[in-house]
Amino acid sequence: MTDIALIGSTFLTALHFSGYIIIGIIFGLFIGAVPGFSSSNGLVVILPILLNMEPTSALVFMSATYCGAEMGGSIPAILMNVPGTPGAVATCFDGYMMAKKGMGQQALSISATASGIGGILTTIPVLLALPILARIALSFGTVQNFIIIVFGITLLGKLIGGSFAKGLLMGFLGLLLGATGFDPIYSTPLATFGFKQLYDGMPPIAALVGLFAVSECLVMLEKETVVDADALQKVITQDLRASWEGVMMTIRSWKTMISSSFTGLIVGAIPGAGGAVSALIAYNQAMAANPGKKFGQGEPDGVLAPEAANNAVIAGAIIPTFTLGIPGSGTMVVILTVMQAQGFLIGPQFMTKNPEVAYTVVSSMLIGNLVLFVVSFFSSPYLARLTIIPTRILVPSIMVMSLMGAFAPRSYLFDIYLALIFGVAGYIMKKFDYPTIPLILGIVLGPYSHEYFLRALKLSHGSILIFFRDPLSLLLWGLLILSLAGPVIYKRIKHTDA
Amino acid sequence: MTQERKSEKKSLLAECTIPCIAGLYSIYYFITARDLIWEARIYSFLIILFVWIFSLVIILKNVWGARAEKGKDALPKMERSKSLKIDKNIVLAIFIAAVSLLYLISMPYLGFTLSTIVYVFIAIAIQNALKGIEGRIRVVKSIVYSILFGLASYAMFAYLLQIELAQGYIERFIQGGLQ
């Protein structure tokens, strides 16, 4: 079957998952609207459900949740100046100013329209380009796959968090933790502390639950409620009358809409960059392109640009996740972990073995973005009211749900203890600005990198030069060095010129 | 020693805790991997090398940063802000983590439902106590919520998701009633 025919048939298949898409979008809008709770934490909380779902349904549900959460994050950002997700930080600048001027409903409507259109505009090219990108990824062998993993860890360590050394330490520590248990070629147990439960390797779900959900709960304890009580009054008084005006404002600014969407797509394809970076870049671009407009004072384009970009990021983040096995964002790390737990081969093999699953998920995003617009247009003011749940109720409830998520895949009580240990470690890491995402990515990709490395050495009879022999490997190493040294060199040149 | 100097020392110690733990773990890994044949060992050794390098970079950066600031009157603001002060929030986090641990220990004996009910109630009570929230109605509400949450989560995990949970009195009672 040709790629176009396959895409067409999977689009029809995606329609069968409409129920999952609608529920995923609503769930995403809800968790996005709860400040401090992103799509990644939200998905970790419902892990037991995801692991019991049919694999494709789980992937469709997760991508719909991701789309919904990116839009949901703008609800408290606009109404309370509290970004629901990191991707909604830039939305606060003008969104909250619009709300202060009594245009909160228009701002919410702009956000809904921009998120929906931004998502649709960028999903179509990704859907068409995925077969080509998959073919390129397939030319990668054991050596290249190993370099790609190192590349991903390094890039993520560099882009996430403030300190480069902290990011890389976490990434490499993750690789080491991921290589716990029997080594894939010689079957020698490594760093198991005598626990038989670790012979199969470090359970990534337990690590994920601990680092994302448990640690976030411990941080959440610092607040009485997720938002201030006085800000909640604003949420309750909103209605739907001005929504249509917001849609028209978005359509009038179509140029900003298109440029911001494609900025999001490109940034999303860079591992680790995520919604926050793309939204800020798109906001800056919109400011530069429209010097006459008053950004920061309640300008509709200031809501439109970051919202289009942070939803477009999802389509971009799909590219490295599906074709290379390198997650484009924190939520993609969760998706990748669930894919692994569901028995999918991650990396370039995913596209060869399961092309129909990949296209179905991307096709479902097209439908999802349409549903997102409709659902968020009508429900956003009501969803915002969910932010009144006090943390003293929220924390123990989330703890039980997420700890059971760690228990579900293997039914080992040991995994819950491990999740709690990772949770406390994650809390300490968050307190000292150590990024958790490179650590979990290292744990997920650790067994793969270990296996690729050992296989490559077997092929070369122990010669480490195999990693530097062919042009493609050299190109990848070159790109890795350039991505690390490039910004430093550029800064030096700029400094010398000044 | 002034309070600020103590805080500086504490901050330095806190900043270096994670690299030290990472370093110690990699030493343990190194020990378990040392008897492997060369081909199997090299991967672990390379990763360990990078862990040590980055741990050392972070430790040295913090030590040098503290030394550079020693001569100045004011302590570095960033360092001070990151010091892990034992405040109410951290006490609360420690309590919740400890209660969660007790929850896991008690689960095989009490069963999932009873341990969850007790855990949720205690976690809410601890937060109420440390946040100064009082009232008899609140206590009744949290008891009702804990019971409803415990039963609902049991129904969801055991019947909807078919997860084999720890059995206790409540589970046996529910199953007996259903049969």
Side-chain angles (χ1 to χ4, degrees), chain A residues 52 179 186 188 193 223 392 397 404 432-434 449 457 462, chain B residues 15 28-29 36 38-39 42-43 82 127-128 131 138 145 161 165:
Chain A
N52 273 280
Y186 302 96
T188 314
F193 293 96
K223 296 173 189 169
R392 63 200 164 81
S397 315
M404 288 316 292
F432 296 114
D433 300 330
Y434 281 84
S449 74
L457 277 189
Chain B
E15 277 286 330
Y28 170 67
Y29 199 101
L36 299 175
W38 184 82
E39 281 173 30
I42 188 76
Y43 172 83
K82 280 181 189 168
Q127 289 181 80
N128 283 345
K131 288 176 180 175
R138 275 191 197 280
Y145 177 75
L161 302 173
L165 299 165

PDB file of all heavy atoms in Angstrom, chain A residues 52 179 186 188 193 223 392 397 404 432-434 449 457 462, chain B residues 15 28-29 36 38-39 42-43 82 127-128 131 138 145 161 165:
ATOM      1  N   ASN A  52      -3.898  -0.369  30.519  1.00  0.00           N
ATOM      2  CA  ASN A  52      -4.936  -1.376  30.285  1.00  0.00           C
ATOM      3  C   ASN A  52      -5.698  -1.156  28.996  1.00  0.00           C
ATOM      4  O   ASN A  52      -6.547  -1.958  28.626  1.00  0.00           O
ATOM      5  CB  ASN A  52      -5.912  -1.403  31.460  1.00  0.00           C
ATOM      6  CG  ASN A  52      -5.431  -2.336  32.544  1.00  0.00           C
ATOM      7  OD1 ASN A  52      -5.596  -3.538  32.448  1.00  0.00           O
ATOM      8  ND2 ASN A  52      -4.763  -1.786  33.534  1.00  0.00           N
ATOM      9  N   ALA A 179      20.657   1.274  32.538  1.00  0.00           N
ATOM     10  CA  ALA A 179      21.451   0.077  32.207  1.00  0.00           C
ATOM     11  C   ALA A 179      21.566  -0.869  33.400  1.00  0.00           C
ATOM     12  O   ALA A 179      22.421  -1.744  33.429  1.00  0.00           O
ATOM     13  CB  ALA A 179      22.834   0.496  31.727  1.00  0.00           C
ATOM     14  N   TYR A 186      25.615 -10.108  27.418  1.00  0.00           N
ATOM     15  CA  TYR A 186      26.345 -11.099  28.222  1.00  0.00           C
ATOM     16  C   TYR A 186      25.562 -11.591  29.450  1.00  0.00           C
ATOM     17  O   TYR A 186      26.035 -12.435  30.195  1.00  0.00           O
ATOM     18  CB  TYR A 186      27.702 -10.519  28.653  1.00  0.00           C
ATOM     19  CG  TYR A 186      28.538 -10.103  27.462  1.00  0.00           C
ATOM     20  CD1 TYR A 186      28.546  -8.777  27.029  1.00  0.00           C
ATOM     21  CD2 TYR A 186      29.270 -11.037  26.742  1.00  0.00           C
ATOM     22  CE1 TYR A 186      29.284  -8.387  25.919  1.00  0.00           C
ATOM     23  CE2 TYR A 186      30.001 -10.659  25.629  1.00  0.00           C
ATOM     24  CZ  TYR A 186      30.011  -9.334  25.223  1.00  0.00           C
ATOM     25  OH  TYR A 186      30.715  -8.959  24.130  1.00  0.00           O
ATOM     26  N   THR A 188      24.920 -10.350  32.447  1.00  0.00           N
ATOM     27  CA  THR A 188      25.498 -10.195  33.788  1.00  0.00           C
ATOM     28  C   THR A 188      24.665  -9.161  34.538  1.00  0.00           C
ATOM     29  O   THR A 188      24.404  -8.087  34.002  1.00  0.00           O
ATOM     30  CB  THR A 188      26.955  -9.676  33.675  1.00  0.00           C
ATOM     31  OG1 THR A 188      27.614 -10.441  32.685  1.00  0.00           O
ATOM     32  CG2 THR A 188      27.677  -9.743  35.000  1.00  0.00           C
ATOM     33  N   PHE A 193      21.588  -4.099  43.445  1.00  0.00           N
ATOM     34  CA  PHE A 193      21.539  -4.048  44.912  1.00  0.00           C
ATOM     35  C   PHE A 193      20.985  -5.363  45.490  1.00  0.00           C
ATOM     36  O   PHE A 193      20.429  -5.373  46.580  1.00  0.00           O
ATOM     37  CB  PHE A 193      20.668  -2.877  45.397  1.00  0.00           C
ATOM     38  CG  PHE A 193      21.247  -1.521  45.093  1.00  0.00           C
ATOM     39  CD1 PHE A 193      20.862  -0.817  43.956  1.00  0.00           C
ATOM     40  CD2 PHE A 193      22.175  -0.943  45.953  1.00  0.00           C
ATOM     41  CE1 PHE A 193      21.394   0.425  43.680  1.00  0.00           C
ATOM     42  CE2 PHE A 193      22.710   0.318  45.673  1.00  0.00           C
ATOM     43  CZ  PHE A 193      22.323   1.003  44.543  1.00  0.00           C
ATOM     44  N   LYS A 223       1.076  25.049  48.494  1.00  0.00           N
ATOM     45  CA  LYS A 223      -0.045  25.970  48.253  1.00  0.00           C
ATOM     46  C   LYS A 223      -1.300  25.491  48.970  1.00  0.00           C
ATOM     47  O   LYS A 223      -1.483  24.295  49.158  1.00  0.00           O
ATOM     48  CB  LYS A 223      -0.334  26.046  46.758  1.00  0.00           C
ATOM     49  CG  LYS A 223       0.789  26.632  45.933  1.00  0.00           C
ATOM     50  CD  LYS A 223       0.434  26.478  44.473  1.00  0.00           C
ATOM     51  CE  LYS A 223       1.586  26.831  43.580  1.00  0.00           C
ATOM     52  NZ  LYS A 223       1.320  26.425  42.199  1.00  0.00           N
ATOM     53  N   ARG A 392      -5.061  20.013  49.662  1.00  0.00           N
ATOM     54  CA  ARG A 392      -5.057  18.993  50.728  1.00  0.00           C
ATOM     55  C   ARG A 392      -5.896  17.777  50.333  1.00  0.00           C
ATOM     56  O   ARG A 392      -5.678  16.678  50.837  1.00  0.00           O
ATOM     57  CB  ARG A 392      -5.496  19.594  52.067  1.00  0.00           C
ATOM     58  CG  ARG A 392      -6.862  20.118  52.106  1.00  0.00           C
ATOM     59  CD  ARG A 392      -7.076  21.104  53.235  1.00  0.00           C
ATOM     60  NE  ARG A 392      -8.296  21.834  52.983  1.00  0.00           N
ATOM     61  CZ  ARG A 392      -9.493  21.375  53.250  1.00  0.00           C
ATOM     62  NH1 ARG A 392      -9.624  20.196  53.804  1.00  0.00           N
ATOM     63  NH2 ARG A 392     -10.552  22.086  52.970  1.00  0.00           N
ATOM     64  N   SER A 397      -5.087  12.172  46.895  1.00  0.00           N
ATOM     65  CA  SER A 397      -5.802  11.468  45.823  1.00  0.00           C
ATOM     66  C   SER A 397      -4.865  11.165  44.655  1.00  0.00           C
ATOM     67  O   SER A 397      -4.841  10.041  44.136  1.00  0.00           O
ATOM     68  CB  SER A 397      -6.978  12.305  45.325  1.00  0.00           C
ATOM     69  OG  SER A 397      -7.686  12.845  46.400  1.00  0.00           O
ATOM     70  N   MET A 404      -0.415   3.693  42.330  1.00  0.00           N
ATOM     71  CA  MET A 404      -1.019   2.480  41.754  1.00  0.00           C
ATOM     72  C   MET A 404      -0.623   2.335  40.282  1.00  0.00           C
ATOM     73  O   MET A 404      -0.572   1.229  39.752  1.00  0.00           O
ATOM     74  CB  MET A 404      -2.542   2.503  41.894  1.00  0.00           C
ATOM     75  CG  MET A 404      -3.028   2.280  43.319  1.00  0.00           C
ATOM     76  SD  MET A 404      -2.193   0.951  44.194  1.00  0.00           S
ATOM     77  CE  MET A 404      -2.771  -0.465  43.314  1.00  0.00           C
ATOM     78  N   PHE A 432      16.574  22.043  43.963  1.00  0.00           N
ATOM     79  CA  PHE A 432      17.903  22.537  43.600  1.00  0.00           C
ATOM     80  C   PHE A 432      18.091  22.712  42.103  1.00  0.00           C
ATOM     81  O   PHE A 432      19.217  22.699  41.613  1.00  0.00           O
ATOM     82  CB  PHE A 432      18.983  21.608  44.183  1.00  0.00           C
ATOM     83  CG  PHE A 432      18.990  21.606  45.674  1.00  0.00           C
ATOM     84  CD1 PHE A 432      18.653  20.483  46.385  1.00  0.00           C
ATOM     85  CD2 PHE A 432      19.280  22.769  46.369  1.00  0.00           C
ATOM     86  CE1 PHE A 432      18.615  20.495  47.761  1.00  0.00           C
ATOM     87  CE2 PHE A 432      19.239  22.798  47.745  1.00  0.00           C
ATOM     88  CZ  PHE A 432      18.909  21.664  48.438  1.00  0.00           C
ATOM     89  N   ASP A 433      16.983  22.879  41.399  1.00  0.00           N
ATOM     90  CA  ASP A 433      17.011  23.160  39.955  1.00  0.00           C
ATOM     91  C   ASP A 433      17.732  22.097  39.132  1.00  0.00           C
ATOM     92  O   ASP A 433      18.448  22.420  38.184  1.00  0.00           O
ATOM     93  CB  ASP A 433      17.634  24.533  39.674  1.00  0.00           C
ATOM     94  CG  ASP A 433      16.859  25.643  40.331  1.00  0.00           C
ATOM     95  OD1 ASP A 433      15.641  25.488  40.486  1.00  0.00           O
ATOM     96  OD2 ASP A 433      17.478  26.670  40.698  1.00  0.00           O
ATOM     97  N   TYR A 434      17.594  20.833  39.502  1.00  0.00           N
ATOM     98  CA  TYR A 434      18.116  19.764  38.661  1.00  0.00           C
ATOM     99  C   TYR A 434      16.957  19.275  37.792  1.00  0.00           C
ATOM    100  O   TYR A 434      15.906  18.910  38.341  1.00  0.00           O
ATOM    101  CB  TYR A 434      18.642  18.597  39.508  1.00  0.00           C
ATOM    102  CG  TYR A 434      20.010  18.832  40.086  1.00  0.00           C
ATOM    103  CD1 TYR A 434      20.170  19.538  41.276  1.00  0.00           C
ATOM    104  CD2 TYR A 434      21.149  18.375  39.441  1.00  0.00           C
ATOM    105  CE1 TYR A 434      21.426  19.773  41.808  1.00  0.00           C
ATOM    106  CE2 TYR A 434      22.405  18.600  39.969  1.00  0.00           C
ATOM    107  CZ  TYR A 434      22.539  19.300  41.150  1.00  0.00           C
ATOM    108  OH  TYR A 434      23.787  19.524  41.670  1.00  0.00           O
ATOM    109  N   SER A 449      20.452   2.171  24.470  1.00  0.00           N
ATOM    110  CA  SER A 449      21.807   2.651  24.161  1.00  0.00           C
ATOM    111  C   SER A 449      22.827   1.586  24.557  1.00  0.00           C
ATOM    112  O   SER A 449      23.808   1.360  23.845  1.00  0.00           O
ATOM    113  CB  SER A 449      22.081   3.984  24.852  1.00  0.00           C
ATOM    114  OG  SER A 449      22.290   3.814  26.210  1.00  0.00           O
ATOM    115  N   LEU A 457      30.018  -2.957  19.151  1.00  0.00           N
ATOM    116  CA  LEU A 457      31.345  -3.471  19.508  1.00  0.00           C
ATOM    117  C   LEU A 457      31.518  -4.920  19.077  1.00  0.00           C
ATOM    118  O   LEU A 457      32.595  -5.329  18.661  1.00  0.00           O
ATOM    119  CB  LEU A 457      31.562  -3.360  21.018  1.00  0.00           C
ATOM    120  CG  LEU A 457      32.024  -2.000  21.557  1.00  0.00           C
ATOM    121  CD1 LEU A 457      32.408  -2.125  23.014  1.00  0.00           C
ATOM    122  CD2 LEU A 457      33.201  -1.437  20.782  1.00  0.00           C
ATOM    123  N   GLY A 462      35.281  -5.507  18.922  1.00  0.00           N
ATOM    124  CA  GLY A 462      35.836  -4.747  20.051  1.00  0.00           C
ATOM    125  C   GLY A 462      36.482  -3.425  19.697  1.00  0.00           C
ATOM    126  O   GLY A 462      37.017  -2.752  20.570  1.00  0.00           O
TER     127      GLY A 462
ATOM    128  N   GLU B  15      23.758  21.868  47.582  1.00  0.00           N
ATOM    129  CA  GLU B  15      24.023  21.904  46.139  1.00  0.00           C
ATOM    130  C   GLU B  15      24.846  20.699  45.688  1.00  0.00           C
ATOM    131  O   GLU B  15      24.722  20.251  44.561  1.00  0.00           O
ATOM    132  CB  GLU B  15      24.773  23.196  45.775  1.00  0.00           C
ATOM    133  CG  GLU B  15      23.878  24.410  45.577  1.00  0.00           C
ATOM    134  CD  GLU B  15      23.109  24.344  44.282  1.00  0.00           C
ATOM    135  OE1 GLU B  15      23.595  23.746  43.320  1.00  0.00           O
ATOM    136  OE2 GLU B  15      22.000  24.892  44.238  1.00  0.00           O
ATOM    137  N   TYR B  28      29.316   2.352  42.800  1.00  0.00           N
ATOM    138  CA  TYR B  28      28.699   1.042  43.022  1.00  0.00           C
ATOM    139  C   TYR B  28      28.533   0.306  41.684  1.00  0.00           C
ATOM    140  O   TYR B  28      28.820  -0.891  41.577  1.00  0.00           O
ATOM    141  CB  TYR B  28      27.345   1.214  43.730  1.00  0.00           C
ATOM    142  CG  TYR B  28      26.532  -0.059  43.774  1.00  0.00           C
ATOM    143  CD1 TYR B  28      26.959  -1.154  44.519  1.00  0.00           C
ATOM    144  CD2 TYR B  28      25.348  -0.174  43.050  1.00  0.00           C
ATOM    145  CE1 TYR B  28      26.224  -2.326  44.539  1.00  0.00           C
ATOM    146  CE2 TYR B  28      24.612  -1.346  43.062  1.00  0.00           C
ATOM    147  CZ  TYR B  28      25.055  -2.424  43.808  1.00  0.00           C
ATOM    148  OH  TYR B  28      24.331  -3.578  43.820  1.00  0.00           O
ATOM    149  N   TYR B  29      28.087   1.043  40.668  1.00  0.00           N
ATOM    150  CA  TYR B  29      27.905   0.456  39.338  1.00  0.00           C
ATOM    151  C   TYR B  29      29.254  -0.067  38.813  1.00  0.00           C
ATOM    152  O   TYR B  29      29.349  -1.163  38.269  1.00  0.00           O
ATOM    153  CB  TYR B  29      27.322   1.505  38.384  1.00  0.00           C
ATOM    154  CG  TYR B  29      26.684   0.914  37.151  1.00  0.00           C
ATOM    155  CD1 TYR B  29      25.313   0.780  37.064  1.00  0.00           C
ATOM    156  CD2 TYR B  29      27.459   0.467  36.084  1.00  0.00           C
ATOM    157  CE1 TYR B  29      24.712   0.222  35.953  1.00  0.00           C
ATOM    158  CE2 TYR B  29      26.881  -0.088  34.971  1.00  0.00           C
ATOM    159  CZ  TYR B  29      25.508  -0.203  34.901  1.00  0.00           C
ATOM    160  OH  TYR B  29      24.923  -0.758  33.801  1.00  0.00           O
ATOM    161  N   LEU B  36      33.442  -7.809  34.338  1.00  0.00           N
ATOM    162  CA  LEU B  36      32.958  -8.155  32.995  1.00  0.00           C
ATOM    163  C   LEU B  36      34.123  -8.152  32.003  1.00  0.00           C
ATOM    164  O   LEU B  36      35.163  -7.543  32.272  1.00  0.00           O
ATOM    165  CB  LEU B  36      31.921  -7.136  32.523  1.00  0.00           C
ATOM    166  CG  LEU B  36      30.639  -6.971  33.333  1.00  0.00           C
ATOM    167  CD1 LEU B  36      29.817  -5.830  32.764  1.00  0.00           C
ATOM    168  CD2 LEU B  36      29.827  -8.253  33.264  1.00  0.00           C
ATOM    169  N   TRP B  38      36.074  -6.940  28.617  1.00  0.00           N
ATOM    170  CA  TRP B  38      36.317  -5.548  28.218  1.00  0.00           C
ATOM    171  C   TRP B  38      35.164  -4.957  27.411  1.00  0.00           C
ATOM    172  O   TRP B  38      34.726  -3.845  27.681  1.00  0.00           O
ATOM    173  CB  TRP B  38      37.615  -5.477  27.408  1.00  0.00           C
ATOM    174  CG  TRP B  38      37.960  -4.061  27.062  1.00  0.00           C
ATOM    175  CD1 TRP B  38      38.590  -3.161  27.865  1.00  0.00           C
ATOM    176  CD2 TRP B  38      37.672  -3.378  25.841  1.00  0.00           C
ATOM    177  NE1 TRP B  38      38.709  -1.960  27.228  1.00  0.00           N
ATOM    178  CE2 TRP B  38      38.157  -2.061  25.967  1.00  0.00           C
ATOM    179  CE3 TRP B  38      37.058  -3.731  24.643  1.00  0.00           C
ATOM    180  CZ2 TRP B  38      38.052  -1.117  24.960  1.00  0.00           C
ATOM    181  CZ3 TRP B  38      36.950  -2.782  23.644  1.00  0.00           C
ATOM    182  CH2 TRP B  38      37.435  -1.496  23.795  1.00  0.00           C
ATOM    183  N   GLU B  39      34.660  -5.708  26.437  1.00  0.00           N
ATOM    184  CA  GLU B  39      33.606  -5.208  25.547  1.00  0.00           C
ATOM    185  C   GLU B  39      32.350  -4.826  26.327  1.00  0.00           C
ATOM    186  O   GLU B  39      31.698  -3.844  26.022  1.00  0.00           O
ATOM    187  CB  GLU B  39      33.244  -6.271  24.509  1.00  0.00           C
ATOM    188  CG  GLU B  39      34.230  -6.344  23.377  1.00  0.00           C
ATOM    189  CD  GLU B  39      33.941  -7.512  22.470  1.00  0.00           C
ATOM    190  OE1 GLU B  39      32.777  -7.909  22.346  1.00  0.00           O
ATOM    191  OE2 GLU B  39      34.898  -8.036  21.882  1.00  0.00           O
ATOM    192  N   ILE B  42      33.151  -1.500  28.773  1.00  0.00           N
ATOM    193  CA  ILE B  42      33.490  -0.177  28.240  1.00  0.00           C
ATOM    194  C   ILE B  42      32.307   0.799  28.263  1.00  0.00           C
ATOM    195  O   ILE B  42      32.481   1.978  28.563  1.00  0.00           O
ATOM    196  CB  ILE B  42      34.132  -0.298  26.818  1.00  0.00           C
ATOM    197  CG1 ILE B  42      34.677   1.045  26.336  1.00  0.00           C
ATOM    198  CG2 ILE B  42      33.192  -0.876  25.801  1.00  0.00           C
ATOM    199  CD1 ILE B  42      35.956   1.442  26.981  1.00  0.00           C
ATOM    200  N   TYR B  43      31.094   0.298  27.968  1.00  0.00           N
ATOM    201  CA  TYR B  43      29.914   1.189  27.953  1.00  0.00           C
ATOM    202  C   TYR B  43      29.717   1.798  29.339  1.00  0.00           C
ATOM    203  O   TYR B  43      29.613   3.021  29.492  1.00  0.00           O
ATOM    204  CB  TYR B  43      28.665   0.403  27.534  1.00  0.00           C
ATOM    205  CG  TYR B  43      27.379   1.188  27.665  1.00  0.00           C
ATOM    206  CD1 TYR B  43      26.974   2.057  26.659  1.00  0.00           C
ATOM    207  CD2 TYR B  43      26.573   1.076  28.801  1.00  0.00           C
ATOM    208  CE1 TYR B  43      25.796   2.791  26.787  1.00  0.00           C
ATOM    209  CE2 TYR B  43      25.405   1.799  28.927  1.00  0.00           C
ATOM    210  CZ  TYR B  43      25.020   2.651  27.916  1.00  0.00           C
ATOM    211  OH  TYR B  43      23.860   3.382  28.047  1.00  0.00           O
ATOM    212  N   LYS B  82      18.887  29.086  47.405  1.00  0.00           N
ATOM    213  CA  LYS B  82      18.744  27.662  47.123  1.00  0.00           C
ATOM    214  C   LYS B  82      18.992  26.790  48.346  1.00  0.00           C
ATOM    215  O   LYS B  82      18.917  25.587  48.269  1.00  0.00           O
ATOM    216  CB  LYS B  82      19.714  27.267  46.007  1.00  0.00           C
ATOM    217  CG  LYS B  82      19.193  27.638  44.654  1.00  0.00           C
ATOM    218  CD  LYS B  82      20.172  27.210  43.626  1.00  0.00           C
ATOM    219  CE  LYS B  82      19.811  27.749  42.277  1.00  0.00           C
ATOM    220  NZ  LYS B  82      20.894  27.568  41.341  1.00  0.00           N
ATOM    221  N   GLN B 127      -2.116  17.877  56.722  1.00  0.00           N
ATOM    222  CA  GLN B 127      -2.103  19.162  56.010  1.00  0.00           C
ATOM    223  C   GLN B 127      -2.951  20.191  56.752  1.00  0.00           C
ATOM    224  O   GLN B 127      -2.544  21.348  56.886  1.00  0.00           O
ATOM    225  CB  GLN B 127      -2.621  18.969  54.589  1.00  0.00           C
ATOM    226  CG  GLN B 127      -1.646  18.214  53.717  1.00  0.00           C
ATOM    227  CD  GLN B 127      -2.182  18.063  52.320  1.00  0.00           C
ATOM    228  OE1 GLN B 127      -2.108  18.976  51.527  1.00  0.00           O
ATOM    229  NE2 GLN B 127      -2.750  16.918  52.035  1.00  0.00           N
ATOM    230  N   ASN B 128      -4.123  19.764  57.235  1.00  0.00           N
ATOM    231  CA  ASN B 128      -4.987  20.680  57.994  1.00  0.00           C
ATOM    232  C   ASN B 128      -4.266  21.179  59.240  1.00  0.00           C
ATOM    233  O   ASN B 128      -4.297  22.370  59.544  1.00  0.00           O
ATOM    234  CB  ASN B 128      -6.280  19.968  58.417  1.00  0.00           C
ATOM    235  CG  ASN B 128      -7.254  19.850  57.268  1.00  0.00           C
ATOM    236  OD1 ASN B 128      -7.105  20.514  56.243  1.00  0.00           O
ATOM    237  ND2 ASN B 128      -8.253  19.001  57.416  1.00  0.00           N
ATOM    238  N   LYS B 131      -1.307  23.496  58.313  1.00  0.00           N
ATOM    239  CA  LYS B 131      -1.743  24.739  57.675  1.00  0.00           C
ATOM    240  C   LYS B 131      -2.699  25.526  58.582  1.00  0.00           C
ATOM    241  O   LYS B 131      -3.221  26.560  58.184  1.00  0.00           O
ATOM    242  CB  LYS B 131      -2.402  24.435  56.322  1.00  0.00           C
ATOM    243  CG  LYS B 131      -1.395  23.999  55.253  1.00  0.00           C
ATOM    244  CD  LYS B 131      -2.086  23.625  53.963  1.00  0.00           C
ATOM    245  CE  LYS B 131      -1.055  23.207  52.921  1.00  0.00           C
ATOM    246  NZ  LYS B 131      -1.681  22.719  51.691  1.00  0.00           N
ATOM    247  N   ARG B 138     -14.991  19.888  59.050  1.00  0.00           N
ATOM    248  CA  ARG B 138     -13.916  19.519  58.118  1.00  0.00           C
ATOM    249  C   ARG B 138     -13.451  18.082  58.362  1.00  0.00           C
ATOM    250  O   ARG B 138     -13.158  17.353  57.421  1.00  0.00           O
ATOM    251  CB  ARG B 138     -12.733  20.472  58.283  1.00  0.00           C
ATOM    252  CG  ARG B 138     -12.888  21.724  57.493  1.00  0.00           C
ATOM    253  CD  ARG B 138     -11.598  22.514  57.470  1.00  0.00           C
ATOM    254  NE  ARG B 138     -11.850  23.873  57.063  1.00  0.00           N
ATOM    255  CZ  ARG B 138     -12.013  24.258  55.811  1.00  0.00           C
ATOM    256  NH1 ARG B 138     -11.954  23.377  54.842  1.00  0.00           N
ATOM    257  NH2 ARG B 138     -12.227  25.518  55.515  1.00  0.00           N
ATOM    258  N   TYR B 145     -14.895  11.819  52.656  1.00  0.00           N
ATOM    259  CA  TYR B 145     -14.152  11.813  51.390  1.00  0.00           C
ATOM    260  C   TYR B 145     -13.197  10.616  51.327  1.00  0.00           C
ATOM    261  O   TYR B 145     -13.127   9.929  50.297  1.00  0.00           O
ATOM    262  CB  TYR B 145     -13.369  13.122  51.211  1.00  0.00           C
ATOM    263  CG  TYR B 145     -12.538  13.113  49.950  1.00  0.00           C
ATOM    264  CD1 TYR B 145     -13.132  13.279  48.703  1.00  0.00           C
ATOM    265  CD2 TYR B 145     -11.161  12.873  49.995  1.00  0.00           C
ATOM    266  CE1 TYR B 145     -12.382  13.234  47.532  1.00  0.00           C
ATOM    267  CE2 TYR B 145     -10.408  12.818  48.834  1.00  0.00           C
ATOM    268  CZ  TYR B 145     -11.022  13.002  47.611  1.00  0.00           C
ATOM    269  OH  TYR B 145     -10.280  12.946  46.461  1.00  0.00           O
ATOM    270  N   LEU B 161     -10.084  -1.990  35.972  1.00  0.00           N
ATOM    271  CA  LEU B 161      -8.751  -2.192  35.393  1.00  0.00           C
ATOM    272  C   LEU B 161      -8.174  -3.589  35.664  1.00  0.00           C
ATOM    273  O   LEU B 161      -7.095  -3.908  35.172  1.00  0.00           O
ATOM    274  CB  LEU B 161      -7.791  -1.118  35.915  1.00  0.00           C
ATOM    275  CG  LEU B 161      -8.214   0.327  35.643  1.00  0.00           C
ATOM    276  CD1 LEU B 161      -7.298   1.301  36.341  1.00  0.00           C
ATOM    277  CD2 LEU B 161      -8.233   0.611  34.152  1.00  0.00           C
ATOM    278  N   LEU B 165      -5.144  -6.371  43.671  1.00  0.00           N
ATOM    279  CA  LEU B 165      -4.755  -5.520  44.797  1.00  0.00           C
ATOM    280  C   LEU B 165      -4.579  -6.350  46.065  1.00  0.00           C
ATOM    281  O   LEU B 165      -5.063  -7.482  46.144  1.00  0.00           O
ATOM    282  CB  LEU B 165      -5.834  -4.454  45.030  1.00  0.00           C
ATOM    283  CG  LEU B 165      -6.094  -3.499  43.877  1.00  0.00           C
ATOM    284  CD1 LEU B 165      -7.393  -2.763  44.100  1.00  0.00           C
ATOM    285  CD2 LEU B 165      -4.961  -2.511  43.707  1.00  0.00           C
TER     286      LEU B 165
END
